[in-house]
Amino acid sequence: GAVVSQHPSWVICKSGTSVKIECRSLDFQATTMFWYRQFPKQSLMLMATSNEGSKATYEQGVEKDKFLINHASLTLSTLTVTSAHPEDSSFYICSTTRGSNQPQHFGDGTRLSIL
Amino acid sequence: EDQVTQSPEALRLQEGESSSLNCSYTVSGLRGLFWYRQDPGKGPEFLFTLYSAGEEKEKERLKATLTKKESFLHITAPKPEDSATYLCALLNAGGTSYGKLTFGQGTILTVHP
């Protein structure tokens, strides 16, 4: 069965809107979760590492104020795309892992389209 | 800088025609190599983990192998339902204690009946 639940599956909204994406770990408590972005016909790019109870670690080039991450519980991390613009349109995917050196398990992604 | 290169970019096979996908890599401190399958509009689905050169893993029609420079995903007698994008990813020793996963560009596999 699914290890990670991601919601919503897709969202279409107007430019300037803020959008929140939820990622839930279903099978275990996840102190660390990951957020990726995937553009069409490209591979996954890590955006940030979400840490329960502390600040997220962002990859170089990812705007912290643009992509707000909150990991308030051991089963839920959220990504909020603030004041979204058309260039933020992409496929956003989260993942969790049971521990270091273990495989990451991914959600089914959120297709974000900004008009 | 860690690099992952997958080849070919796309592969078309007839049902039953066996073949292999390649994942070449350079990494400082390999902690693991993972293979995933991704269907259109979905997140990657975990297939295999390989940790050291010489290791092999097998599941149904798929077999993954690892050397110090590359990994292969062998597909034996594929079926149309094996059509998907196959991703190779390296877990390195950098970043947080959980490391950082670096993905290859993927191989788009199409199996015709």
Side-chain angles (χ1 to χ4, degrees):
Chain A
V3 176
V4 179
S5 174
Q6 191 171 338
H7 178 82
S9 299
W10 58 270
V11 59
I12 302 173
C13 58
K14 295 181 179 180
S15 183
T17 306
S18 292
V19 178
K20 179 184 285 188
I21 303 169
E22 293 186 348
C23 180
R24 294 182 183 276
S25 177
L26 301 179
D27 284 359
F28 54 91
Q29 294 181 330
T31 56
T32 299
M33 301 174 85
F34 305 88
W35 287 97
Y36 293 82
R37 182 164 56 183
Q38 186 176 32
F39 291 107
K41 298 187 178 181
Q42 294 187 26
S43 196
L44 284 76
M45 293 295 294
L46 179 66
M47 297 175 65
T49 302
S50 171
N51 305 297
E52 189 270 335
S54 64
K55 293 182 179 180
T57 303
Y58 289 83
E59 293 300 300
Q60 190 173 6
V62 177
E63 299 177 59
K64 301 178 181 180
D65 295 332
K66 177 74 170 177
F67 300 99
L68 300 179
I69 292 174
N70 183 279
H71 194 155
S73 78
L74 287 171
T75 59
L76 175 65
S77 176
T78 61
L79 169 68
T80 301
V81 184
T82 62
S83 187
H85 293 287
E87 58 266 29
D88 299 321
S89 298
S90 188
F91 192 51
Y92 293 87
I93 314 174
C94 69
S95 70
T96 68
T97 179
R98 284 183 166 83
S100 56
N101 296 354
Q102 296 298 310
Q104 291 182 20
H105 297 276
F106 291 84
D108 272 343
T110 298
R111 175 73 58 192
L112 176 62
S113 296
I114 308 298
L115 305 178
Chain B
E1 183 178 333
D2 299 342
Q3 288 192 334
V4 184
T5 303
Q6 290 189 246
S7 62
E9 291 185 10
L11 181 61
R12 295 179 180 272
L13 299 174
Q14 288 296 126
E15 184 172 3
E17 180 186 2
S18 301
S19 188
S20 297
L21 281 56
N22 178 265
C23 172
S24 298
Y25 66 89
T26 55
V27 63
S28 54
L30 178 66
R31 291 171 57 175
L33 185 145
F34 305 95
W35 281 98
Y36 289 88
R37 166 191 172 130
Q38 186 176 25
D39 292 303
K42 298 290 186 179
E45 175 188 349
F46 170 69
L47 294 174
F48 301 110
T49 305
L50 300 165
Y51 291 111
S52 58
E55 192 173 359
E56 299 183 352
K57 293 281 180 67
E58 199 165 351
K59 178 182 178 182
E60 296 180 349
R61 296 179 292 281
L62 299 177
K63 180 180 178 180
T65 62
L66 180 66
T67 72
K68 290 185 178 179
K69 296 182 178 181
E70 58 189 352
S71 177
F72 289 94
L73 184 65
H74 306 278
I75 303 177
T76 303
K79 297 181 178 181
E81 52 262 42
D82 294 323
S83 298
T85 297
Y86 289 85
L87 299 169
C88 167
L90 294 182
L91 182 65
N92 67 12
T96 69
S97 61
Y98 284 89
K100 178 180 176 180
L101 206 58
T102 301
F103 281 86
Q105 291 297 104
T107 293
I108 302 171
L109 175 65
T110 305
V111 182
H112 297 284

